[in-house]
């Protein structure tokens, strides 16, 4: 154990690792590896110079096999959530969007420092890996991620996290840092492992089987190592836990001031209780003198208790006017009425192989072959129809209450209301809002494939180490779902027989928010849906050539200048092939009105196919300069080392960029080190931001000009009570003139390893690093929400925002503005927007690490590691237009409760806590070992709720989760080489903190106490 600890300590000092996992990695090697596979030196990310000591200047976190086991991480997502610097997970499997416009399935993102997805470079065995093919909007801008779930956790040797800007070494995307995942290699022997686990009180169960085999051949000149795993996990149902079971979260806040807050009611406004418009009318339609529509033809279907204009059947009425956000709230659809999943079921497969062979004494061939596949199945909420869909029921429709007096087959229309004041020809009806609940849940099946092939040569010549490799990696996603076709729905609505789809029969009279008590004909329902397919693919082809030597030039004493030089060429492609019913190939044409919509799927915006490619050529240089060594005997300068680096990249689509880096480490005396670095970085615009032509997306936004009218008219007492939120469509355009985002990074800190403590009292290390990152030209949009607020401000000044396109005001809308001093407006049709390079963002914080290790004969061996990260600032500087809005709000020209996005310090807000930390305690004696892992997420606030007394936002408390496990290793008999492990994740069964949405999926996993049983056999 002492030799192992020496290797561990040397590796830790060489890398100044933040957390103690270098020691864990060494202990894991001692426990798990055969003597042939012991590793004498750990070389980590941060330098291209083999054998250089300059990485002492860089803050690197090493996560070894022991810590991975203690965290009980079964997936890349679960592993990276335990790293305090890893940030929020915006792409996650519990995020199940209602359409394929966002990433779904087995995908999780990485965002070091919370700087945003895409600002972290992920390497596999030291080289780039391909990005996940499906983008997702962050701050309304599409971004790519590296899929952490594609990382074979059970096959990891370690994870290296360089918490420093590294564009000068590795190129684009390394703004917040670099994560290098290192897989096992040079293994001799075999290993098989099986694990079964389940989350208490839920439907989630999973099993995993892994195998590892390696062998030397040709008398040790070569080795091949193969890893394979397969795992299956059952779905986690929404109904499994109370904070996900219901869309209406108000009961969860019982006993607080928020128990009646309507903002906690997440029930869908699209329910079987529909709202409609009778077309071509200028006065109210009456049935036997009773008005059943408004002057513009608007009417709704409601239960009797909600106010009855005319009874259609016992308990069911047709009534004039629109659905009311207050009096008709009980008609919203509760998601619990339909079986849906919080996390989908998944099958995941991983294979990875490495091989190398010494062709000569100086030349070695090496290769990698990797494959990942994951298939998920999820159930999401039913389809819905909104105003923008413009689905119209003709006069010949069997259930149209204002239909023709006589149907085409000569039958008297049994569903036309009696005594109507319209012609016998009838009038068509357009659906405004309606939930197709009787169609049932929407199944979503996503298949992810990712593969990687690498071959290369490395060797030594004339004192130089050289290496060259060719790499090809590709990832593809097939997203399959079932959706209602607007064309098929209109055809079913238009039937003149009882088999027609009937949207006028309301929902469930026995329980208004739960399902549809009067579903349409089953054969008709089956004919409404069509399969929807989205296929995405990204590829990366890379060739590089690198040379380095640690002793280019001798300075003095034991100091040699090291150098590394290299060139790289890579080609990246991206293809987004949308379903023909979404990309505009098969459009929906309203057979009655002639209105053409680019998407045939209600609720899914038109999205064109996208294709982009780029070629990048780059070159880098690095110098390692040890200025002072211990042999020089200089007082208070035991060591002084510098790193100088620079990289230039040329893109064939966005131009060229070059960035430098300087880093240094000063050992005052042995065990006390000061270190710091300055670097510049960049992130190139991604291929969707540049190449997409035009894309429509809808988000719920508050139309504040209506709130202002309601406030002035006395219908509400404050903007907090405004209920004018509607789905607002943004039309965004790509921009081929985008330039790379740029950044500057500064870090400085110290490493303290007391040498005066006798070794029998253990070894301790403390590290502290302060960092600051400033980004320029971040790609963003003004945002449709801000656009509507700007329109509100300008309309109070007598003008308007030309990028906000509105419909003509209806009589009801004109009446809403009467007497307010404001000009009446109609609802927002869409808002124009475009991706542009915007103003800076600044982030800064501090990392703290503590490591302690004690070996005793009597009580065994102990290791303690604590890793903490604090973010002090994450400030987005406002653009000129946003500054104008903020100034108007500060001056009282617009209401103080307007929510202006894109200009604030995000620390402590909506899932960005100030503090995160994790800690691991391990113990081993003889055949027994145990570990305890704790993960802390600090408090933050949620802007979805406001305390009445103070006006401050809702507090989300800090939370700590704990994992425990015990192990027993057999050494003799038939079970020799067998290890048993029993553990629990979230051992105290703590729920994630309650938020307006139930929980925050970007911060927490929605898992109950999770038990697992593991057996491993090594041979």
């Amino acid at each position: 154990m002492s030799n192992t600890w020496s290797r561990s300590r040397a590796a830790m000092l060489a890398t100044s690792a933040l957390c103690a996992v270098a020691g864990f990695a060494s202990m894991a090697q001692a426990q798990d590896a055969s003597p042939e596979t012991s590793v004498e030196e750990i070389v980590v990310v941060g330098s291209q110079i083999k054998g250089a000591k300059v990485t002492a200047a860089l803050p690197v976190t090493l996560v070894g096999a022991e810590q991975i086991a203690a965290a009980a991480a079964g997936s890349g997502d679960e592993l990276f959530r335990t790293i305090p610097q890893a940030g929020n997970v915006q792409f996650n499997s519990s995020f199940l969007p209602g359409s394929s416009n966002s990433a779904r399935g087995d995908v999780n993102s990485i965002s070091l420092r919370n700087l945003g997805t895409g600002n972290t470079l992920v390497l596999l065995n030291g080289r780039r890996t391909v990005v996940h093919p499906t983008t997702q909007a962050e701050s309304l801008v599409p971004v790519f991620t590296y899929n952490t779930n594609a990382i074979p956790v059970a096959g990891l040797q370690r994870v290296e996290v360089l918490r420093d800007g590294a564009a000068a070494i590795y190129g684009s995307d390394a703004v917040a840092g670099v994560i290098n995942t290192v897989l096992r290699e040079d293994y001799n022997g075999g290993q098989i492992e099986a694990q079964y686990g389940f989350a208490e009180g839920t439907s989630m169960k999973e099993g995993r089987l892994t195998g590892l085999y390696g062998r030397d051949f040709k008398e040790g000149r070569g080795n091949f190592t193969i890893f394979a795993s397969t795992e299956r996990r059952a779905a986690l149902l929404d109904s499994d836990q109370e904070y996900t079971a219901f869309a209406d979260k108000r009961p969860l806040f019982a006993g607080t001031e928020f128990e009646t807050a309507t903002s906690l009611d997440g029930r869908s406004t699209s329910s079987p209780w529909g709202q409609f418009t009778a077309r071509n009318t200028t006065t109210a339609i009456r049935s036997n003198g009773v008005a059943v529509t408004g002057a513009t033809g608007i009417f709704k279907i409601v239960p009797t208790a909600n106010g009855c204009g005319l009874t259609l059947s016992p308990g069911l009425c047709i009534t004039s006017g629109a659905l009311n956000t207050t009096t008709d709230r009980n008609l919203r659809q509760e998601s619990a009425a339909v079986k849906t999943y919080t996390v989908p079921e998944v099958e995941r497969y991983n294979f990875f192989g490495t091989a190398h062979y010494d062709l000569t004494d100086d030349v070695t061939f090496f290769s990698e072959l990797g494959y990942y596949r994951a298939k998920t199945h999820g159930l999401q909420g039913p389809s819905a129809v909104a105003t923008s869909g413009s689905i119209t029921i003709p006069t010949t429709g069997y259930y149209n209450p204002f239909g023709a007096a006589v149907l085409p087959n000569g039958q008297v229309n049994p569903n036309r209301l009696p005594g109507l004041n319209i012609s016998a020809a009838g009038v068509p009806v357009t659906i405004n809002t309606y939930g197709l609940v009787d169609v049932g849940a929407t199944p979503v099946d996503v298949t992810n494939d990712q593969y990687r092939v690498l071959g290369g040569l490395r060797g030594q010549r004339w004192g130089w180490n050289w290496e060259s490799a060719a790499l090809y990696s590709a990832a593809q996603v097939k997203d399959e779902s079932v959706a209602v076709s607007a064309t098929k729905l209109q055809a079913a609505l238009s039937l003149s027989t009882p088999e027609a789809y009937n949207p006028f029969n309301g929902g469930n009279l026995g329980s208004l928010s739960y399902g549809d008590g009067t579903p349409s004909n089953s054969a008709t329902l089956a004919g409404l849906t069509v399969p929807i397919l989205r296929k995405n693919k990204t590829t990366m082809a890379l060739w590089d050539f690198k040379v380095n030597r640690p002793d280019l030039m001798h300075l003095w004493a034991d100091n040699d200048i090291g150098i590394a030089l290299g060139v790289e060429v890579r080609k990246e492609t991206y293809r987004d092939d949308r379903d023909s019913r979404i990309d505009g190939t098969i459009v929906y044409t309203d057979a009655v009105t002639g209105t053409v919509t680019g998407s045939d799927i209600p609720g899914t915006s038109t999205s064109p196919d996208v294709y982009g490619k780029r070629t990048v050529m780059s070159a880098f240089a690095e110098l390692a300069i040890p200025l002072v060594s211990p042999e020089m005997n200089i007082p208070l300068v035991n060591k002084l080392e510098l790193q100088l680096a620079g990289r230039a990249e040329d893109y064939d689509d966005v131009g060229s960029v070059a960035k430098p880096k300087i880093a240094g480490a000063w050992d005052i005396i042995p065990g006390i080190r000061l270190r710091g670095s300055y670097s510049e970085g960049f992130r190139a615009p991604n291929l969707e931001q540049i190449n997409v032509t035009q894309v429509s997306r809808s988000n719920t936004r508050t139309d504040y000009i209506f709130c202002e009218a309601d406030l002035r008219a006395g219908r509400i007492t404050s903007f907090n009570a405004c209920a004018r939120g509607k789905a607002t469509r943004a039309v965004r355009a790509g921009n081929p003139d985008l330039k790379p985002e740029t950044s500057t990074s500064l870090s400085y800190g110290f490493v303290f390893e007391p040498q005066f403590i006798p070794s029998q009292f253990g070894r301790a290390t403390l590290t502290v690093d302060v960092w600051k990152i400033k980004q320029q030209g971040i790609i963003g949009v003004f945002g449709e929400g801000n656009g509507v607020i700007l329109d509100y401000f300008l309309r109070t000044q007598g003008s308007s925002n030309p990028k906000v396109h509105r419909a003509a005001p209806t009589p009801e809308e004109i009446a809403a503005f009467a007497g307010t001093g404001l000009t009446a407006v109609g609802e927002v049709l869409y808002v124009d927007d475009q991706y542009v390079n915007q103003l800076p963002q600044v982030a800064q914080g501090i990392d703290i690490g503590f490591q302690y290790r004690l070996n005793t004969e009597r009580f065994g061996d102990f290791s303690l590691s604590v890793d903490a990260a604090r973010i002090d600032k994450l400030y987005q500087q406002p653009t000129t237009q946003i500054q104008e809005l903020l100034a108007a709000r500060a001056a009282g020209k617009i209401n103080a409760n307007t929510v202006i996005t894109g200009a604030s310090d995000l620390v402590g807000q909506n899932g960005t806590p100030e503090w995160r930390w994790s800690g691991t305690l391990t113990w081993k004696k003889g055949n027994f070992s145990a570990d305890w892992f704790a993960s802390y997420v600090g408090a933050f606030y949620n802007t979805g709720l406001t305390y009445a007394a103070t006006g401050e936002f809702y507090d989300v408390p800090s939370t700590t989760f704990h994992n425990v496990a015990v192990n027993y290793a057999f050494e003799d008999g038939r079970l020799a080489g067998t290890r048993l492990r029993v553990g629990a994740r979230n051992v105290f069964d703590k729920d994630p903190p309650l938020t307006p949405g139930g929980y925050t999926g970007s911060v927490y996993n929605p898992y109950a106490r999770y038990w697992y049983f593991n057996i491993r056999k090594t041979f």
Side-chain angles (χ1 to χ4, degrees):
M1 178 63 74
S2 60
N3 290 336
T4 301
W5 165 240
S6 297
R7 292 195 300 270
S8 164
R9 176 173 173 271
M12 184 277 301
L13 285 175
T15 64
S16 298
L18 174 66
C19 70
V21 294
F24 292 156
S26 297
M27 187 171 69
Q29 291 161 7
Q31 290 178 345
D32 300 340
S34 60
E36 295 89 343
T37 62
S38 295
V39 179
E40 291 300 322
E41 180 183 8
I42 295 177
V43 179
V44 300
V45 68
S47 174
Q48 300 277 12
I49 305 173
K50 183 178 181 181
K53 302 175 182 179
V54 74
T55 47
L58 303 178
V60 177
T61 297
L62 294 181
V63 182
E66 193 77 11
Q67 186 174 15
I68 294 171
S75 67
D77 172 51
E78 293 165 357
L79 172 61
F80 283 102
R81 284 179 189 257
T82 67
I83 300 174
Q85 295 83 8
N88 291 351
V89 185
Q90 300 296 345
F91 292 50
N92 60 80
S93 57
S94 65
F95 174 68
L96 296 172
S99 73
S100 60
N101 284 340
S102 295
R104 303 192 288 194
D106 189 49
V107 54
N108 290 81
S109 60
I110 186 73
S111 174
L112 284 177
R113 310 294 194 193
N114 270 329
L115 285 185
T117 305
N119 282 296
T120 304
L121 178 62
V122 176
L123 309 176
L124 180 60
N125 290 341
R127 285 183 171 85
R128 285 178 176 264
T129 185
V130 70
V131 295
H132 184 74
T134 310
T135 62
Q136 188 165 298
E138 284 188 15
S139 300
L140 307 180
V141 176
V143 294
F144 287 97
T145 186
Y146 298 90
N147 183 10
T148 60
N149 276 350
I151 297 170
V153 173
L156 284 175
Q157 179 174 325
R158 65 185 183 275
V159 175
E160 306 165 352
V161 183
L162 174 60
R163 311 179 321 274
D164 195 21
I169 303 292
Y170 297 104
S172 179
D173 304 339
V175 175
V178 179
I179 293 177
N180 184 30
T181 53
V182 182
L183 300 181
R184 297 186 184 187
E185 60 181 356
D186 277 335
Y187 194 78
N188 246 332
Q191 180 177 286
I192 189 167
E193 183 175 330
Q195 179 169 305
Y196 173 78
F198 63 92
E200 242 182 66
T202 73
S203 56
M204 192 178 81
K205 301 174 178 62
E206 57 185 340
R208 182 172 71 241
L209 180 65
T210 65
L212 175 67
Y213 181 74
R215 182 179 177 184
D216 289 341
F217 59 92
K218 290 290 184 179
E219 298 179 344
R221 292 181 66 89
N223 175 275
F224 68 87
T225 301
I226 299 172
F227 164 83
S229 71
T230 177
E231 53 192 300
R232 295 190 177 189
R233 184 189 63 207
L236 182 66
L237 305 183
D238 284 345
S239 58
D240 283 339
Q241 297 171 116
E242 64 174 3
Y243 55 89
T244 59
F246 302 97
D248 187 356
K249 309 297 184 185
R250 288 176 294 182
L252 299 177
F253 289 79
T256 75
E257 66 176 277
F258 304 116
E259 62 183 350
T260 60
T262 56
S263 60
L264 293 173
D265 185 1
R267 291 176 296 172
S268 173
T269 56
S270 299
S271 77
W273 307 100
Q275 177 182 305
F276 312 87
T277 298
R279 301 186 66 86
N280 308 321
T281 61
T282 57
T283 60
I285 298 177
R286 298 178 180 275
S287 174
N288 292 329
V290 177
V292 290
T293 77
T296 56
I298 296 178
F299 68 98
K300 56 188 176 182
I301 304 297
V302 297
T304 303
N306 283 55
C308 192
L310 181 69
T311 299
L312 296 177
S313 63
L316 187 68
C317 296
I318 182 172
T319 302
S320 64
L323 287 165
N324 188 287
T325 55
T326 300
T327 59
D328 293 326
R329 179 169 291 276
N330 60 336
L331 305 184
R332 297 188 176 203
Q333 180 64 27
E334 175 55 70
S335 59
V338 179
K339 180 181 178 181
T340 50
Y341 293 171
T342 303
V343 178
E345 62 184 66
V346 63
E347 296 179 16
R348 189 183 296 133
Y349 305 90
N350 263 301
F351 169 85
F352 206 90
T354 63
H356 62 83
Y357 180 71
D358 296 336
L359 300 175
T360 70
D361 290 342
D362 296 324
V363 179
T364 299
F365 168 78
F366 62 95
S367 65
E368 299 174 3
L369 178 63
Y371 178 68
Y372 151 85
R373 163 166 276 210
K375 300 177 70 175
T376 63
H377 173 72
L379 288 176
Q380 299 177 187
S383 300
V385 178
T387 304
S388 58
S390 185
I391 297 178
T392 305
I393 306 165
T395 58
T396 56
Y398 186 76
Y399 293 107
N400 184 344
F402 308 118
V406 179
L407 297 174
N409 61 6
Q411 177 187 3
V412 175
N413 190 340
N415 294 301
R416 177 182 165 107
L417 297 179
L420 292 175
N421 61 335
I422 58 175
S423 70
V427 295
V429 171
T430 294
I431 300 175
N432 293 343
T433 304
Y434 182 78
L436 293 138
V437 177
D438 51 359
V439 176
T442 301
V444 176
D445 295 278
V446 181
T447 303
N448 289 341
D449 289 284
Q450 185 169 313
Y451 51 93
R452 176 182 177 98
V453 180
L454 179 145
L457 297 172
R458 59 175 169 244
Q460 294 181 330
R461 186 71 171 176
W462 301 313
W464 290 81
N465 304 304
W466 62 270
E467 182 175 305
S468 180
L471 164 67
Y472 180 79
S473 185
Q476 54 192 19
V477 171
K478 184 167 67 173
D479 186 312
E480 301 172 279
S481 59
V482 174
V484 171
S485 160
T487 301
K488 289 180 175 289
L489 176 58
Q490 186 175 49
L493 292 163
S494 303
L495 293 175
S496 300
T497 65
E499 286 72 30
Y501 186 85
N502 183 8
F504 304 108
N505 55 7
N508 186 348
L509 287 171
S511 187
L512 300 180
S513 289
Y514 284 80
D516 189 343
T518 53
S520 291
N521 179 278
S522 59
T524 300
L525 293 176
L528 298 180
T529 57
V530 292
I532 297 298
L533 176 63
R534 181 182 185 184
K535 294 189 293 184
N536 289 49
K537 185 174 183 178
T538 50
T539 68
M540 183 188 67
L542 181 150
W543 172 83
D544 61 17
F545 180 80
K546 299 179 285 188
V547 296
N548 74 86
R549 63 182 300 169
D551 55 352
L552 174 68
M553 180 185 298
H554 181 71
L555 293 178
W556 42 74
D558 192 28
N559 298 332
D560 293 320
I561 294 178
I563 188 172
L565 302 168
V567 294
E568 177 185 287
V569 179
R570 70 178 186 273
K571 182 175 181 180
E572 301 168 345
T573 70
Y574 165 61
R575 183 181 297 278
D576 181 6
D577 184 6
R578 307 304 293 260
D579 192 272
S580 57
R581 294 180 182 272
I582 295 174
D583 65 11
T585 303
I586 299 177
V587 299
Y588 164 62
T589 303
D590 192 301
V592 177
T593 67
T595 302
V596 178
T597 305
S599 171
D600 187 44
I601 307 302
T604 301
S605 304
T606 305
S607 298
D609 295 342
V610 183
Y611 176 74
K613 64 179 180 179
R614 66 162 47 123
T615 299
V616 187
M617 294 184 291
S618 60
F620 76 89
E622 178 190 356
L623 289 174
I625 308 174
L627 297 175
V628 178
S629 62
E631 294 81 4
M632 300 173 69
N633 296 316
I634 298 177
L636 299 180
V637 187
N638 185 56
K639 290 183 182 179
L640 183 61
E641 301 164 351
L642 292 179
Q643 179 193 44
L644 302 177
R647 187 181 184 104
E649 293 200 344
D650 179 69
Y651 292 77
D652 63 1
D653 54 354
V654 297
S656 301
V657 64
K659 296 298 177 183
K661 178 170 186 173
I662 180 170
W666 169 23
D667 284 14
I668 301 174
I669 60 175
I672 300 180
R673 166 173 298 149
L674 303 180
R675 62 187 180 190
S677 70
Y678 170 84
S679 65
E680 298 180 11
F682 61 94
R683 181 175 72 157
N686 68 50
L687 290 175
E688 179 163 339
Q689 294 167 354
I690 293 173
N691 293 286
V692 69
T693 52
Q694 193 177 80
V695 62
S696 295
R697 293 291 182 266
S698 290
N699 293 287
T700 299
R701 305 298 183 199
T702 299
D703 198 345
Y704 287 107
I705 189 66
F706 279 92
C707 299
E708 182 69 25
D710 289 340
L711 186 66
R712 293 186 183 188
R715 290 184 290 269
I716 59 176
T717 58
S718 73
F719 265 36
N720 280 336
C722 182
R724 293 289 189 170
K726 285 190 175 182
T728 303
R729 184 164 63 98
V731 178
R732 302 180 192 133
N735 188 350
D737 296 324
L738 289 172
K739 299 301 180 183
E741 302 172 357
T742 60
S743 65
T744 57
S745 299
L746 176 68
S747 71
Y748 53 91
F750 69 86
V751 181
F752 176 53
E753 186 184 42
Q755 303 291 305
F756 54 83
I757 300 177
S759 60
Q760 61 265 32
F761 295 108
R763 300 288 187 179
T765 303
L766 173 68
T767 65
V768 178
D769 290 284
V770 178
W771 57 271
K772 182 176 183 178
I773 300 172
K774 183 175 182 179
Q775 297 173 276
Q776 297 275 356
I778 293 176
I779 296 169
V781 293
F782 185 56
E784 69 274 9
N786 290 333
V788 172
I789 296 174
L790 179 60
D791 189 58
Y792 157 47
F793 169 51
L794 294 176
R795 287 185 182 277
T796 63
Q797 308 298 307
S799 62
S800 64
N801 181 2
K803 293 188 176 182
V804 177
H805 301 265
R806 294 181 178 271
T810 65
E812 288 83 356
E813 290 164 342
I814 293 173
F817 282 85
T820 65
L822 300 170
T823 301
V825 298
E827 68 177 28
V828 176
L829 298 176
Y830 64 94
V831 181
D832 288 323
D833 225 341
Q834 187 182 34
Y835 307 128
V836 294
N837 290 100
Q838 298 193 129
L839 292 176
Q841 173 174 277
V842 178
Q844 65 184 37
I846 185 170
D847 296 326
I848 303 172
F850 177 73
Q851 174 178 210
Y852 177 72
R853 188 176 182 89
L854 176 66
N855 299 334
T856 69
E857 292 290 337
R858 182 176 180 183
F859 299 106
D861 300 333
F862 299 86
S863 294
L864 172 66
S865 169
V866 180
D867 182 9
R870 177 185 176 183
I871 298 180
D872 297 322
K873 178 187 288 187
L874 183 56
Y875 179 71
Q876 295 177 343
Q877 185 171 325
T879 63
T880 301
Q881 282 187 310
I882 291 178
Q883 285 175 335
E884 180 183 341
L885 290 181
L886 292 171
R889 188 172 67 180
K893 295 179 180 180
I894 59 177
N895 194 280
N897 288 313
T898 51
V899 180
I900 301 170
T901 60
S904 63
D905 190 347
L906 301 179
V907 175
Q909 180 183 142
N910 293 331
T912 305
E914 183 178 8
W915 280 99
R916 297 180 195 245
W917 62 260
S918 63
T920 305
L921 175 64
T922 65
W923 165 80
K924 184 178 187 300
K925 182 173 176 56
N927 296 351
F928 288 94
S929 62
D931 49 67
W932 186 291
F933 176 84
S935 178
Y936 170 89
V937 178
F940 55 91
Y941 61 88
N942 187 286
T943 57
L945 292 173
T946 305
Y947 294 103
T950 62
E952 296 178 347
F953 293 120
Y954 172 74
D955 292 319
V956 181
S958 61
T959 308
T960 305
F961 296 96
H962 300 266
N963 303 340
V964 296
V966 294
N967 309 275
Y968 184 81
F970 294 89
E971 295 181 350
D972 304 311
R974 295 183 178 180
L975 293 179
T978 303
R979 189 213 63 185
L980 300 179
R981 180 178 177 88
V982 178
R985 202 164 61 208
N986 187 14
V987 67
F988 297 120
D989 198 21
K990 182 176 290 187
D991 289 338
L994 188 62
T995 60
Y999 78 105
T1000 305
S1002 62
V1003 181
Y1004 306 101
N1005 273 321
Y1007 301 157
R1009 178 164 45 223
Y1010 179 91
W1011 293 97
Y1012 64 94
F1013 309 89
N1014 180 287
I1015 182 170
R1016 185 179 69 197
K1017 173 68 174 179
T1018 302
F1019 52 90

